[in-house]
Amino acid sequence: MRNDRLSRELDIILMLAGTDDYTVGELCREAKVSRRTLYYYIECLRECGFDIYKSSGCYHIDRRSPFLSKLLGLLQFTEDEAVTLKRLVDMAGTANPTLNGVRRKLERFYDFSILSDVELRRKSAHIVSVLYEAIKQKRVAKLCGYSSPHSKTQSDRYVEPFRLMNGNNDVRCYEIATGECKTFRISRMADAEMLELLWSCEQQHRDIYTDCFMFSSEEQREVKLRLGRLAYNVFTEEHPDATDGIVADGDRWLLTLKVCSYKGVGRFVLGLYGDIEVVGDDGFRSYISQTIAEMAAKSGAQT
């Protein structure tokens, strides 16, 4: 009985500390506990020093909680270690697939344009701290002097920040002036201030996802592919972090993948079309058929 309870508590910690969003109902279903028991576990975790917060109807453990900070400190690289390792990997070139995988992981979790600049690193830490408090207290924040590469302007943005992302390099916000959810880069802010105003548009907060092909969207679609050996080898070498959805299927492999756009996975399929069977979904089948037809028409027009 005691081991069962500990196992459930650890499962809840893993779910709350992960990147997926879980509502109360989903947590109860996954942990196989009642709502009353779940709330009891959450309170126990808070008493043990875990900082648990709720955002957009989902619960999370702040990774700055004392226990997680100590654990991550043992498992993660320090910023200086990350910079040194990145330099060594870059010196080795791009011929080794394993080192290329290490490079991609480092670049995903660390912003080296910030880490290589000590003063910029201090400024970034201050801004992240302000935004973290604004998220925790559900307050409006002012992004001071935000530099936009699209409009080529620098201006203050008033936002409701609700998610720090990508190793605290980005923050997901609801921008009050435009009424849209946007992702802002920490490195493009001159400063950040937390205001006294509380959130008023929480129901309009929308998270964003990024798939393994680096396309982003507020929605995800599930694609299923049957891969031959060549396609399997190419995918696992180029996307080692996205192999959880692969299962053996006779002499082939079935890949189930969540994507934000058909374009990235479509490029992969069309490049190895003879070694890949599109199993689903119907929308992706239509996309591939239409793309092939357009390519054939363009090719015919050029000949």
Side-chain angles (χ1 to χ4, degrees), residues 62-98:
D62 177 30
R63 296 192 177 187
R64 299 184 187 186
S65 299
F67 176 80
L68 286 184
S69 295
K70 291 179 182 178
L71 181 61
L72 291 175
L74 294 173
L75 300 178
Q76 288 183 334
F77 297 117
T78 65
E79 293 177 339
D80 290 336
E81 289 170 341
V83 171
T84 300
L85 184 57
K86 175 67 162 49
R87 288 172 180 167
L88 292 174
V89 170
D90 287 342
M91 289 172 61
T94 59
N96 189 308
T98 301

Side-chain angles (χ1 to χ4, degrees), residues 160-172:
E160 295 181 4
F162 57 88
R163 178 88 68 216
L164 287 165
M165 306 163 53
N166 303 326
N168 294 343
N169 294 317
D170 303 324
V171 60
R172 186 70 173 166

Side-chain angles (χ1 to χ4, degrees), residues 272-283:
L272 296 165
Y273 193 68
D275 203 43
I276 298 176
E277 175 190 352
V278 179
V279 179
D281 62 359
D282 291 339

Side-chain angles (χ1 to χ4, degrees), residues 79-116:
E79 293 177 339
D80 290 336
E81 289 170 341
V83 171
T84 300
L85 184 57
K86 175 67 162 49
R87 288 172 180 167
L88 292 174
V89 170
D90 287 342
M91 289 172 61
T94 59
N96 189 308
T98 301
L99 290 179
N100 289 337
V102 172
R103 182 183 293 105
R104 284 193 295 269
K105 287 183 179 180
L106 288 171
E107 291 174 348
R108 179 175 299 177
F109 289 103
Y110 301 94
D111 189 330
F112 289 97
S113 64
I114 293 177
L115 292 182
S116 59

Side-chain angles (χ1 to χ4, degrees), residues 211-276:
D211 61 27
C212 64
F213 302 100
M214 302 312 293
F215 282 85
S216 297
S217 172
E218 293 181 0
E219 298 180 354
Q220 291 180 304
R221 306 166 183 173
E222 188 172 89
V223 169
K224 291 186 178 181
L225 309 172
R226 186 171 285 111
L227 310 179
R229 181 166 296 278
L230 174 60
Y232 170 80
N233 288 338
V234 170
F235 184 84
T236 54
E237 288 174 3
E238 293 185 351
H239 308 285
D241 295 334
T243 58
D244 291 345
I246 297 180
V247 295
D249 184 26
D251 60 347
R252 300 172 73 83
W253 290 265
L254 186 64
L255 169 63
T256 302
L257 195 64
K258 288 186 176 181
V259 300
C260 297
S261 169
Y262 288 147
K263 292 182 180 179
V265 65
R267 183 173 57 191
F268 168 69
V269 169
L270 292 172
L272 296 165
Y273 193 68
D275 203 43
I276 298 176

